[in-house]
Structures are given as structure tokens and as C-alpha cells.
Amino acid sequence: MSEHLQHEILSLLKENSRLETEKIAHMLGESKEKVEQIIQELEKTGIIVKYGAVINWQKSEKPKVSALIDVKVAPQRGYGFDALARRIYRFPEVRSVYLMSGAYDLSVELEVDSMEAVGRFVTEKLATLDSVMGTTTHFVMKKYKEDGVILDDPEKDERLVITP
Amino acid sequence: MNLEEKLSPVVKNLAPSGIRRFFDLVNQKPNAISLGVGEPDFVTPWHVREACVAALERGMTTYTSNQGMPELIREIASYLNRRFSLNYDEQEILVTFGASEAIDLALRALVAAGDEVLIPEPCYVSYTPCVQLAGGKPVPVPTYAQYGFKLRAEELEKAITPRSKVLILCYPNNPTGAIMRREDLEPIAALVKKHGLLVISDEIYAELTYQGRHTSIGSLPGMKEHVILVSGFSKAFAMTGWRIGYTAAPLPILSGMLKIHQYTALCAPITSQMAALEAVKNGLQECEAMVSQYDRRRRLVVKAFQDMGLKCHDPQGAFYVFPSIESTGLDAHTFAEQLLEEEEVAVVPGDVFGPSGTGHIRCSYATSIERLGEALTRIERFVNRKRQLLPKRSLG
Ligand SMILES: Cc1ncc(COP(=O)(O)O)c(C=O)c1O
């Protein structure tokens, strides 16, 4: 299977996961069946993990609260970063967990319904884990760009309606 | 005092642009989806805009040399060589206010009263008026849908007379999206040499060539001394508003053009030159990303028109499709006006670009996939409705 085609399909779906298979096929000059088959393979092999939407919660009626939490860890014998990360990422309110270089070890992104919920998560769930030495919580005040998409004022189409 | 009478006869007699009239109609429909826009829907890549801001911060607010900034000229020469196998010395390149100024300069530098300028049509709307302003005589050369709107030696030869001096080529073409491959250009080049013509080759859409690379006519053997290359940054780098372009030509001709430019323009704006420098040095990757997006839309649009039963040659360049709407029983102007009225989609009637465009419409796909999809749905609805009004026997 052509790597190029696979890449083209991925980049189209990354841009808009609701794009119909038929439209993708037309855009790439391929048959619908072939595109369908490639997408199924991409799903099966876990290259396509999930279809979602980029949401600007700040505009919704029930805005979400996001926080980034720096976590300092004391790794224990036989109990490394991975094991701790796994305990953290299983909480559904955790959106992402990264192992970082630098002043702290894990970066945890939280998305919940209220500021209280952030506080509860940190004090009750995170800080109580054995190897967690300390946490610093940063609340997100405004999101300008998320997942490659600008949420701020997008650039308007300033073109004249008809030009030569 | 009748001030209109004071206008010079050439200016008074210039035909008003067919696009202008249509523009006023479309402007009354603020919610219309316009497929009538001849410029990229992308904004200029950020690194290019940023380079301009940085130049301003450094206080770059002066004139430059008439010809343009040496570093920019060097980069243009290198770019033309890498991308299109063209060999221009630095003295053979001039930075202009867009391809627009370059076209005007070339015509004014070459054309004397009564000289004939061959213009394959349908074509960009500026050529004929610019020839008239230069005192020349525009001679249209038809191209045909059945040949994919390519210029053929047959039609060109018929139009050549002893007074023919210049041929204007524009491939990839606005409005048809036609391109000329090397084998299409060869017979044209042969005629140019045989009749000692000069070619003004407007290659502003060169980067927007799908399925293969653009061939520049000046790169054909023995053609460099016949060609004035006109190009710019507007389309490839999404920089229409910067008003920056360039021209390359053999030294004697370039010197003539430079003479006019130094008295009428002095130099291209320094801020735009700095942005263009960044674009030509570091912008090709973003250019290619835009081109691949255009290509996807192009396939989608061509397929949609074919599925509607509108004949549509495969446009392999620029960002226009040029389907025939004759099967709807409407002429292009009626089609465009009714489509705007009934479905709020704007397209440009093909004959605005010359009589060969009769029965066609120009649709630009420099619009987001979402809006394109919606526009195509509306056009299909419209076309089906119009077909039902046709007498039965003319179907098919
Ligand atoms: C064929 C053609 N030539 C030249 C131009 C003008 O280009 P510029 O913005 O560089 O003046 C256009 C713009 O639409 C065009 O379509």
C-alpha cells in the first residue's frame, strides 16, 4: 500500500475526521473502496486511535476548567516513572501525561468542570500517591490555540467577492 | 467644462471590465458563496509576515535600488534556475509591483503604434487594455475546449501578420486552468523563432501545476532571447496584497523596462521586498503544502461538475475550473446571474475573458473544502432545475 496515500488520508482526517470516505476518494483521485480499506487498516493497526472534535469549551454553556500540573517524583526501586504515570493516566479527568526533562518529572493536563475539582484531584488523588514528592498547579486562563487549531479570533476572509 | 472629454481617447475608449459589473451584483448578496475570487484563500505564511515586521523594526523604510534589492534578485535568479532550469544573470531581473506592473512595462517597452500583439484567449483581463494603452493592436487568438484550451500552432499561425511583434502567453492559464507541457510549447516556440516574435510569458501560476512540473518556455533551446518572463509572489506564496513580482528578460529588453520603471515606480516597496526575500528563500515548503490542498479541491470540483453532466476539461494548473454550461440551455451571463439570484453562489461568466470563453463559467477553488462542497451542492440543484425546463429532445 502506498505510504504516500496513507499519509494523504491521515492528513485529511486529522483536519476533519467527519470527511466522507467518498469525498476523500474524489480529492485523492482514488476509488472509494480503496480509501475505505486503507482507513480500516489504519484503524486496526492503531495508527488512527480515535475520532474526536476540537472544542472551544470557553464558548460553551458549561465551560471546562483546565490545569497543568507539574509533578516531582521520587522513583522507588522497581517502581519507575512508567508505573506512576499509569496510575495517573487512568483517571478519566486526566487529558494527557508526559514525562519531562528539566525541573520536574511528569506533566499532567487536567480537564474538569470546576476549580474545586482541580483542587480535589490534586490533594486527594495525586498528592497522596507514594512517590509524588510535590506538585505545582497552573490554571489555564485562556486557550489561544489547541491541537494546531487557533481558537482566538480566526483570520477573516478579507478578499473582495470577485477579482480578476 | 466636460471633464470626461478631457480624457485621452485611448483611456476614454477602454472597455469597462466585465468583471466590474458582476462584482457590483455579487456585492449586493453578502451571504453568497463566491467562487469568483482570483486569489488564494490562504493568508501569507506567518514566517513571511514576520520577516516583514522584523524589517520594519530594523527601520527598513527607505527606497531601494530601482532594480530591487540585490539579495532578493540573487535569490530570484537562483530560484528560477532551481525550479525551472532558467539561467538569468542578476542584471536581467527586475523587481516590480506585482506581475501587473511587469506586464505593463514589457508592453510599453516593446510595442509601438500599430504593432500587433497576439493574445490567446480566453485570458486574464488586463492584457488587451494594456496593449491598447501602449498604442498596440490586440489580436485575439482562439483556443478551444476540445483541446483543453491549449494554444495550438495552427490557430497562432493564422493570426500572425508582418506587423505581429509580441505574443502573450499565460500558462497555467487564468481563467481555464490549462497548462502547456513541453511538447505543447515546442511547436509554438518554432513559430516564435520563425517569425522573430517576442513572448511575454506570464507564469504567475507556475508553482500551481498539478501532476508534474511547469515548463517555462524560456527554458526551451534558443528561446531565452525571445522571452520576457513575468511572474511574482501573489499566487504561489499567497501574497496578493503585497504587490510584489518580478520580470526577467535579455539585458537590452530589461534595460528598456528598467528605464520606464525608474521613472514611473522608482522601486518596489522595501517591506514587500523583504517579505518576498523570505518567501523565495524559505517558503517553498509552505507553497507545496498549499498546492497539495488546491490539488485535492481541484479533483473534487472537477468530479462534481462531471457528475452533474457539465463538460469540464481537466484543468492542470492555477486554481480555476472552466466547465461548459451549454447543456443547461443558458448563456453564461444568464447562468451566472440566475445562479447568484436563486442559489447565492457567484461564478464568473467565461466570455468576460474573451469570446472563446462563451458558454463556460470560471469557478475558483481557492475556497475552503466546506464552502466548496456547499457551493457545488447548490450548483447541482440549480443545474438540475434548469435542465427540467429544457425541451426533452435536447437532453443528453
Ligand atoms: C494571469 C495573471 N497574471 C497576473 C496577475 C496579477 O498578478 P500580481 O498580483 O502579481 O500583479 C493575475 C492576478 O489575478 C493573473 O491572474
Side-chain angles (χ1 to χ4, degrees), chain A residues 20-26 29-39:
Chain A
E20 299 94 331
T21 312
E22 188 167 7
K23 245 191 190 164
I24 297 180
H26 290 169
E30 295 286 344
S31 73
K32 195 180 156 195
E33 291 69 30
K34 181 152 187 199
V35 172
E36 196 125 29
Q37 184 210 332
I38 293 179
I39 293 179

Side-chain angles (χ1 to χ4, degrees), chain A:
Chain A
M1 179 180 48
S2 116
E3 244 170 66
H4 178 69
L5 185 56
Q6 205 183 71
H7 182 81
E8 294 271 287
I9 292 174
L10 285 174
S11 70
L12 281 170
L13 286 175
K14 171 77 189 152
E15 200 54 44
N16 176 5
S17 62
R18 297 188 66 186
L19 205 57
E20 299 94 331
T21 312
E22 188 167 7
K23 245 191 190 164
I24 297 180
H26 290 169
M27 281 195 257
L28 302 179
E30 295 286 344
S31 73
K32 195 180 156 195
E33 291 69 30
K34 181 152 187 199
V35 172
E36 196 125 29
Q37 184 210 332
I38 293 179
I39 293 179
Q40 274 173 13
E41 266 169 54
L42 289 167
E43 289 169 355
K44 233 187 287 166
T45 50
I47 294 178
I48 294 179
V49 180
K50 180 175 180 320
Y51 298 98
V54 179
I55 295 170
N56 190 347
W57 287 107
Q58 285 150 356
K59 281 197 173 169
S60 76
E61 304 223 323
K62 274 183 73 184
K64 299 252 184 200
V65 175
S66 297
L68 297 172
I69 308 163
D70 309 340
V71 184
K72 259 190 105 50
V73 180
Q76 294 167 8
R77 190 183 298 275
Y79 188 87
F81 291 117
D82 292 355
L84 179 64
R86 277 187 206 115
R87 294 194 62 174
I88 295 175
Y89 70 51
R90 291 213 162 81
F91 290 108
E93 54 269 56
V94 170
R95 270 183 57 83
S96 57
V97 179
Y98 306 121
L99 178 63
M100 310 295 288
S101 65
Y104 58 96
D105 304 301
L106 292 177
S107 170
V108 175
E109 187 188 2
L110 208 61
E111 189 173 82
V112 289
D113 291 333
S114 65
M115 283 179 52
E116 293 73 43
V118 176
R120 270 200 308 276
F121 178 85
V122 175
T123 52
E124 295 171 15
K125 292 170 178 163
L126 204 55
T128 54
L129 291 170
D130 272 352
S131 44
V132 169
M133 284 172 46
T135 63
T136 313
T137 303
H138 312 273
F139 283 96
V140 174
M141 297 169 70
K142 181 175 178 185
K143 289 191 176 178
Y144 294 97
K145 186 175 185 180
E146 170 122 316
D147 205 10
V149 182
I150 295 173
L151 305 176
D152 208 22
D153 286 333
E155 278 153 344
K156 280 202 304 283
D157 190 346
E158 303 278 5
R159 299 176 298 167
L160 300 174
V161 287
I162 300 274
T163 51

Side-chain angles (χ1 to χ4, degrees), chain B residues 330-342:
Chain B
L330 302 176
D331 68 76
H333 279 271
T334 315
F335 184 99
E337 273 167 36
Q338 292 188 359
L339 179 64
L340 180 64
E341 198 53 48
E342 296 173 24

Side-chain angles (χ1 to χ4, degrees), chain B residues 37 48 76 92 125 190 199 203 214 265 281 339 362:
Chain B
V37 189
V48 174
I76 291 171
E92 294 175 316
V125 294
V199 179
E203 300 180 24
H214 168 76
K281 257 168 87 169
L339 179 64
R362 186 193 77 173

